[in-house]
Amino acid sequence: MTLKIGVIGTGAIGRDHIRRISRNLSGGLITAVTDVNREAAESAARDYAPEARVFADDRELLAQGDIDAVLIASWGPAHEQSVLAAIEAGKYVFCEKPLATTAEGCRRIMEAEIEHGKRLVQVGFMRRYDSGYVQLKKAIDEGFIGEPLMIRCAHRNPNSAPAYTTDMAITDTLIHEIDVLRWLIRDDYKSVQVSFPRKTVHAPDHLSDPQVVLIETIGGVLITAEIFVNCRYGYDIQCEVVGEEGIVKLPEPASLTFRKEAVRGSAVMMDWKDRFIEAYDREIQDFIDTVSAGREPQGPTAWDGYVAAVTADACVRAQRSGTREDIELGEQPALYEEQAMSRA
Ligand code: NAI
Ligand code: ISE
């Protein structure tokens, strides 16, 4: 079966997902697109999905589009409304992070899914599909380093967009670590604290950059996560897990090594789109294959989106308070239990 997909939001990543579904992946066909910027939707359809009809908005797309599933890649604040409308229409949903910009919004989505009676939603936390993180997880699950004790990680971007703010370092950027680390060590978070080292001259006035987040898990693992979005030199994702018997480290992405003019080196990627290209392909292929077979999506769930939102909220509070902030998740609904911490 070919899965007919409607795309809501055709900016940078929406357009890229349309390209990958049309050109690289199998089993999916983009039949409908919409964007508040109609020209963006028309151009994405023209370039990569000539069969797609362009709709005025998400409601019209859901009501009139010939679709089995939607892929939501609009601005974060618009996600909740589109996800809820898609669930109401009984469509499968692949939603880019964040699932919603508030924990309450994520709760409303879980309630709608529970009411519907089965999981329809997969959240775009693609790092769970990255082969490096998958290797890390396998080593940890097999006890290769014994019990994990500490994690050190870094999320660095060469530069930030003018509208990027201090709390976006958490809600837009650290959110990937927030999701992937709890999946990696099958543990949830207890508290967070944020510290601000000396600010780089390359950050705009309104942005505190870099930041260091200290996260404690319920099991007692201590995580230090650096976010540095004007590091200049590249897009660099680091993760090292220290265990009782040894350490494991996220592999560096494959890159040509060279020796030239008395230098031995290798290039550092500059763009997140390239660094996680395989992971984006895999997560969306998995979504297409699973829901085409009539099964519930097996990637990150609405509960995972909710946990990320609650944790991000605590980090933003910690940025402001300068003290430790506790994390309270409440009970995990039964609908999400069997999948807890699994995939991929
Ligand atoms: P963007 O700003 O390039 O594109 C967003 C698009 O959504 C724009 O074309 C805008 O006109 C459209 N839009 C806004 N509200 C809308 C609505 N109500 N209905 C339809 N279209 C609407 O942003 P970008 O970088 O493509 O990010 C989109 C989403 O994807 C964000 O939530 C972002 O956090 C996420 N993202 C995820 C990444 C990942 O690594 N998984 C990487 C980059 C972005
Ligand atoms: C962006 O929104 C993403 O999701 C990228 O994966 C991330 O690395 C970047 O820092 C975010 O701004």
Side-chain angles (χ1 to χ4, degrees):
M1 164 199 168
T2 297
L3 189 76
K4 289 179 253 168
I5 304 170
V7 176
I8 300 171
T10 55
I13 201 163
R15 190 180 162 86
D16 205 36
H17 286 333
I18 293 173
R19 177 199 56 74
R20 64 170 38 85
I21 291 168
S22 301
R23 301 230 168 130
N24 295 6
L25 308 184
S26 59
L29 180 70
I30 309 294
T31 53
V33 291
T34 184
D35 193 294
V36 287
N37 173 357
R38 194 178 174 97
E39 167 47 28
E42 283 170 351
S43 133
R46 200 169 46 241
D47 293 347
Y48 300 119
E51 303 84 353
R53 282 175 66 197
V54 178
F55 291 96
D57 57 29
D58 53 359
R59 290 263 164 205
E60 192 181 277
L61 178 144
L62 283 159
Q64 296 173 29
D66 178 18
I67 56 170
D68 307 307
V70 291
L71 186 153
I72 299 171
S74 53
W75 295 324
H79 291 182
E80 181 187 345
Q81 177 198 303
S82 297
V83 176
L84 288 173
I87 294 174
E88 197 185 319
K91 305 293 179 194
Y92 289 106
V93 183
F94 179 94
C95 181
E96 262 309 335
K97 41 71 57 169
L99 177 59
T101 47
T102 63
E104 296 71 39
C106 295
R107 269 216 173 277
R108 283 189 284 273
I109 289 171
M110 287 194 290
E111 279 157 16
E113 245 186 339
I114 291 165
E115 172 83 25
H116 182 80
K118 70 172 195 179
R119 287 194 311 265
L120 294 174
V121 177
Q122 173 164 336
V123 184
F125 286 128
M126 77 296 179
R127 288 198 194 174
R128 296 187 188 202
Y129 290 83
D130 173 73
S131 64
Y133 278 106
V134 169
Q135 287 175 59
L136 266 189
K137 182 165 175 60
K138 184 165 182 285
I140 295 166
D141 282 350
E142 290 175 354
F144 183 65
I145 56 164
E147 284 300 319
L149 306 172
M150 294 176 282
I151 302 180
R152 276 191 284 273
C153 50
H155 188 148
R156 303 191 186 117
N157 293 64
N159 43 56
S160 57
Y164 190 95
T165 55
T166 297
D167 58 351
M168 283 172 74
I170 306 291
T171 56
D172 203 51
T173 299
L174 184 77
I175 198 144
H176 286 293
E177 273 75 18
I178 291 175
D179 177 70
V180 83
L181 298 180
R182 60 184 277 276
W183 168 78
L184 207 55
I185 58 171
R186 297 172 186 265
D187 201 354
D188 269 317
Y189 305 127
K190 187 172 153 195
S191 68
V192 292
Q193 250 179 294
V194 181
S195 298
F196 297 97
R198 183 164 137 180
K199 180 177 156 165
T200 168
V201 292
H202 299 300
D205 288 347
H206 68 270
L207 176 64
S208 295
D209 186 39
Q211 305 180 28
V212 178
V213 183
L214 184 67
I215 309 176
E216 189 187 352
T217 72
I218 292 169
V221 176
L222 261 197
I223 300 167
T224 43
E226 169 204 314
I227 315 143
F228 187 10
V229 295
N230 286 280
C231 80
R232 315 299 271 187
Y233 72 85
Y235 180 71
D236 193 10
I237 303 299
Q238 303 277 334
C239 181
E240 179 181 80
V241 185
V242 180
E244 287 170 328
E245 311 296 337
I247 67 162
V248 278
K249 206 168 173 181
L250 186 68
E252 294 285 344
S255 154
L256 188 77
T257 54
F258 63 84
R259 287 170 171 78
K260 190 173 174 186
E261 292 166 358
V263 172
R264 186 180 67 221
S266 61
V268 178
M269 284 179 179
M270 292 300 283
D271 193 334
W272 47 263
K273 280 200 209 80
D274 302 326
R275 169 64 181 83
F276 286 110
I277 193 162
E278 281 176 12
Y280 294 120
D281 284 353
R282 287 194 188 122
E283 66 170 353
I284 294 182
Q285 188 67 65
D286 182 39
F287 176 77
I288 292 173
D289 293 346
T290 311
V291 306
S292 298
R295 288 186 281 123
E296 298 181 1
Q298 55 172 353
T301 63
W303 171 257
D304 296 315
Y306 166 77
V307 175
V310 172
T311 310
D313 283 352
C315 292
V316 172
R317 285 201 308 278
Q319 284 180 327
R320 291 168 191 165
S321 68
T323 58
R324 204 176 89 150
E325 295 288 340
D326 292 333
I327 293 170
E328 292 294 337
L329 292 178
E331 203 166 321
Q332 180 173 283
L335 185 68
Y336 305 105
E337 259 163 25
E338 122 209 11
Q339 197 157 345
M341 304 294 181
S342 66
R343 166 62 239 156

